[in-house]
Amino acid sequence: MKVLIADDDSVTALALAGMLESAGHQVTTVDNGLAASKMIAGERFQVVIADWVMPEMDGPELCRYIRDHESDHYIYVMLLTGRALADDRVAGLRAGADDFLTKPFDRAEIVARLGVAERILNMEQQLREANRTIERTRRYEIEIGAHIQRALLMAQPPLGPSAFTFAAMNIPSSQIDGDFFDFFSHEEGIVDVFIGDAMGKGVPAALVAAGAKSYLIRGFASLLKCGGQEDLPSPVAIVQHAHDGLAKEFIAIGSFVTLCYLRLDATAGIATYVDCGHTKSIRWDNNSQRATILKGGNFPIGFVDLETYQEYTTPLDEGDLFCLYSDGVTEAAAPDGELFGIQRLLDLIDKLHAEEPALILSTVREAVRAHTTARSLEDDFTCVLVRVGKPTQPWRRREAEFPSSLNSLANIRRFVKSAAADCHLDDRQIEEMEIAAHEATTNAMLHGQRNQPSDPIRLTAERIEGGMRLTLVYRGVEFEPGRVAPIDFESPKESGMGMFIIEKSLTDVQYSRTPEGENRVTMTKRSG
Amino acid sequence: MRRENEPPDTHPSYDRHGLDGVCDGNEALRRRILVEFVRTAPGQVQQLLERLTEGSREEAQRIAHTLKGSSRTVGAFVLGDLCERIELGAGDLARERAQIGEELERVRREVERHLESIP
């Protein structure tokens, strides 16, 4: 071994060097601690033997210097002392010494102690090698994970003319996370966007995320096959399909995936979303000129076995902006631990909503970077922005589903109003169509379904010659208009009032029931 | 190494076998160490006495510590003990100051005599 002796007593140093050289070690001597510290900086010594008392820098100081200065190898330090007191030894050990040599020397003891040093240094070297191997493997896995993330988990926004403008960004952290997102572009004016995050970090998280994304895509494809091209599978059906296929596997490996699945239907003026414990997505409402949070109450995918997912709807208008993001945005921490938080994101969207999504996204990214002041991210930064524009093709048929709840009435009226306006009905006719739809859907919820939201209300708007046809479809108690008594304005009872309002508001209304047990109310309104 | 039939060293100032454990039969090493001692010890004693005269207590203690180590390494235990008493301030400093020069001289003579016998 290469041994450095630091002792101002040249006789002792010579004696020690002679002993060690005769035992096969390569020895260098210096006469003070400062000279030793300089020597160590330039040469690779495995063992340093330092006298306790020396000028310039004593033995314990030299120990501390060695321990405070990182080296690519461990330096075994032995303090040379006539002191045998326990307190001195404790002080030496605290300074970083590994062993002590007590004067006068015993050759056999010194050689044996150097043998111990060699054994420990060998073990330390093996440990470093093992750590290097682990680090190489980890880096390789990160590269693979990063590749998986780039190739499989992220996606390019749809290209070509569209009712939407997109911007998407993923900046991987130093560790791979399980962030993912994708887009399904349907007919003109309809797009699905989803963003997710698998629990944990590293390649396992990336693989879980890849599995979840794959199930969402497979679910969409298989449900579409069942329903036919005309009938897009609902977001909740797609999410439920993924959960049902993955829950047991995820629970078995102790993982889960948070997700927000959003369908934007610019033709129907409806956004439908399923939130599965993901960071809350944001909608900039161009009508009210304020940002709102899209709230949902589902568990993440695979968090519990038997989860029944719910979807929610919110109106959609030209100029609206939707922001889906990962926790790497809002949970980015400043040096003092303060998180970036959702309020800062809301404020930025509030301030920049009129800008191009790409510009908003890069501004958000810079704000997060400035907040953290860090060079690399703790978490992946993933963010998707979608601006709603005007559909480039006129629609012929619009369809939307609403939970069977009186809370849906505002959205239903909005859907009807938007569709009626596109069918060139005048303001009065639009209002009458809204009133009729309001009455019909209220009756369906309160009487047909007894306000049971498990079966949704489905509305289909169609352009017809000179007006609009609105079909309400719901499951529940059969409605038989012939059994409803004619309205009696003299009676305090309200029986028949709903039917009366509907008939008076429309050009035509038809009630029917399919063999499958679906009730249909077909409402027609013509201009003129 | 002390030979079996050799009588114990009668002079208390210097033990010729003091370096046996270090040198393990390496007489060249023994010679180098003793030569180094003879070369450096007188200067250290000189410095020690000067620092004591100046009243530089701390520096005197450091020199006494160093000389103590080299003395005991070569087997000059009386000189080593004297240095220790000066280092610790445990004895009669005036007497130790007076003795240290004489003791060094005794050791030096013995060491030089010993050196003549080393091949």
Side-chain angles (χ1 to χ4, degrees), chain A residues 8-12 14-15 18-19 51 53-55 103-107, chain B residues 21-22 24 29 32-33 36-37 39-40 62 65-66 69-70 72-74:
Chain A
D8 60 331
D9 170 6
S10 58
V11 173
T12 303
L14 189 58
M19 277 192 285
D51 192 21
V53 180
M54 285 187 291
K103 299 174 194 174
F105 305 126
D106 180 87
R107 187 178 185 282
Chain B
V22 170
D24 193 28
L29 176 60
R32 278 171 58 207
I33 294 168
E36 180 66 12
F37 178 77
R39 186 183 73 79
T40 57
R62 195 190 63 72
H65 173 83
T66 304
S70 57
R72 286 176 175 170
T73 297
V74 297

Side-chain angles (χ1 to χ4, degrees), chain A residues 2 36 58 66 110 113 117 128 243 251 267 274 327 337 342 360 409 412 420-421 475 491:
Chain A
K2 276 192 79 169
D58 67 18
I66 291 169
I110 287 176
R113 285 186 183 276
R128 277 185 193 245
H243 173 82
I251 289 168
T267 61
V274 184
D327 55 6
I342 195 166
I360 300 171
L409 287 172
I412 289 170
R475 287 184 174 276
S491 165

Side-chain angles (χ1 to χ4, degrees), chain B residues 7-119:
Chain B
D9 198 327
T10 50
H11 198 292
S13 292
Y14 173 63
D15 179 359
R16 288 185 172 205
H17 302 288
L19 279 169
D20 286 357
V22 170
C23 298
D24 193 28
N26 183 342
E27 293 307 303
L29 176 60
R30 188 191 301 273
R31 169 175 280 283
R32 278 171 58 207
I33 294 168
L34 291 174
V35 167
E36 180 66 12
F37 178 77
V38 170
R39 186 183 73 79
T40 57
Q44 287 174 322
V45 169
Q46 180 70 30
Q47 279 185 19
L48 176 59
L49 291 171
E50 284 171 9
R51 296 296 92 80
L52 288 172
T53 306
E54 290 167 3
S56 303
R57 181 84 193 124
E58 212 169 290
E59 183 61 11
Q61 280 179 309
R62 195 190 63 72
I63 297 167
H65 173 83
T66 304
L67 185 58
K68 176 189 74 178
S70 57
S71 302
R72 286 176 175 170
T73 297
V74 297
F77 296 112
V78 174
L79 184 58
D81 290 349
L82 260 174
C83 289
E84 186 174 47
R85 286 202 291 278
I86 293 170
E87 183 189 4
L88 300 176
D92 179 347
L93 191 58
R95 197 175 67 191
E96 283 144 6
R97 279 176 66 175
Q99 286 177 345
I100 195 164
E102 290 172 18
E103 182 57 29
L104 173 68
E105 190 48 34
R106 270 197 290 277
V107 172
R108 195 185 60 76
R109 279 200 303 271
E110 287 299 317
V111 170
E112 283 182 346
R113 199 176 300 148
H114 186 191
L115 278 169
E116 285 168 12
S117 67
I118 297 172

